[in-house]
Amino acid sequence: MPFSRISRNLRGAFNGCRCYLSIRDHNHRFLLSQTPIDSTQQVMRSLIFSKGIPAFYSSRYQIHHQSSSLVEDELDPFSLVADELLHIGNKLREMVVAEVPKLASAAEYFFKMGVEGKRFRPTVLLLMSTALNLPIPPVLPPMELGGATRNDLRSRQQRIAEITEMIHVASLLHDDVLDDAVTRRGRGSLNFVMGNKLAVLAGDFLLSRACVTLASLKNTEVVSLLAKVVEHLVTGEVMQMTTTSDQRCSMEYYMEKTYYKTASLISNSCKAIAILAGQTTEVAVLAFEYGKNLGLAFQLIDDVLDFTGTSASLGKGSLSDIQHGIVTAPILFAMEEFPQLRTIVEEGFEKTENVNIALDYLGKSRGIQKTRELAVKHATLAAEAIDSLPESDDEDVRKSRKALVELTQIVITRTK
């Protein structure tokens, strides 16, 4: 197949990319270089690089700041909250039970043991809950915190994690219908296995369950935040479906759409965690900024992997975006170097020939490197938001903050 051949060529071409990040006093410097390699160098390269990710990233992602040393020893963020993730997984399976067997089977499709994914978003939110375990401000905002024990608060924050995961999975089900996807998380997508109608209804059912759980929190500000997320998901999808020629070729438009489709959910959920804890507006904004920049970095790396990854590693088809006519950051950056690529983008990618031409331009450009660079920039901003939180001597708080910084490295070095 020409797509798989092109994808392999791109992966080989971009393995030679070397990226360096230097950060001091909040000034960022990104240096990238790419040089041709012969067969001997290719053998040597295989000892240095792993699946196209620069060795610099995989060894450590160090963030140096004069006032803090958050990153000291390597930490597995997921292990810190493993017990809670197991509990949330069980709760989610209980919450998606339905009276109609077919609907129940569809709703629990991606919540079954073994196919629920790594629970990235619940992990972020549980770590954020501990990271914000700070003294409550003397003057509380009007909310349902008075008299609540710390265990009560943690339970409410766990419900935010459950709500977020249900909204996320619902959006995946709906996206797969719109994209005519056939695989998801390494198995047949729900729409492929059970049909579009049931997939849409299963997504709607998950959103309704999320709404019921959200209402149980009895916090109007949090309800408003997460209701806005659902609006953003729809807005982002419509933006993607109804672009004008200028909008398709605009990086600003692309980043706005990416915020709506990907980053809004995690950023507003992080803010909800802070609001439930009764934290100040300043702390809530820092939590939001962490989630926003982490979400943007995550999607930018997704865009890279769509060109450089394999279907097996991604759990879905590679080159799926361009085959569906979706223009992402690597192509937009390539267009800056090769303006003639815009003509191909405007014609669309219904023809295989146009896909091949676009991929050829991408291979000659620095589109992949620039997308990684932008992802690193947003990951750095996310880490700086954590570094800016009020200081704490609590060991659990400090460890959770280290884990949140570690997640910024995991996001930019992942290969699937």
Side-chain angles (χ1 to χ4, degrees), residues 143-200:
M143 60 170 292
E144 290 271 324
L145 187 68
T149 67
R150 184 58 61 183
N151 286 339
D152 292 335
L153 173 60
R154 190 68 178 196
S155 176
R156 288 158 65 81
Q157 290 171 326
Q158 285 174 351
R159 272 182 271 171
I160 294 292
E162 294 159 9
I163 292 163
T164 299
E165 190 66 5
M166 282 192 286
I167 293 174
H168 171 61
V169 173
S171 73
L172 296 183
L173 297 180
H174 288 163
D175 279 356
D176 285 348
V177 170
L178 292 170
D179 297 340
D180 295 318
V182 296
T183 58
R184 171 71 69 178
R185 292 181 178 173
R187 66 188 308 207
S189 60
L190 184 61
N191 56 297
F192 180 74
V193 174
M194 297 187 180
N196 285 343
K197 290 181 180 180
L198 199 55
V200 170

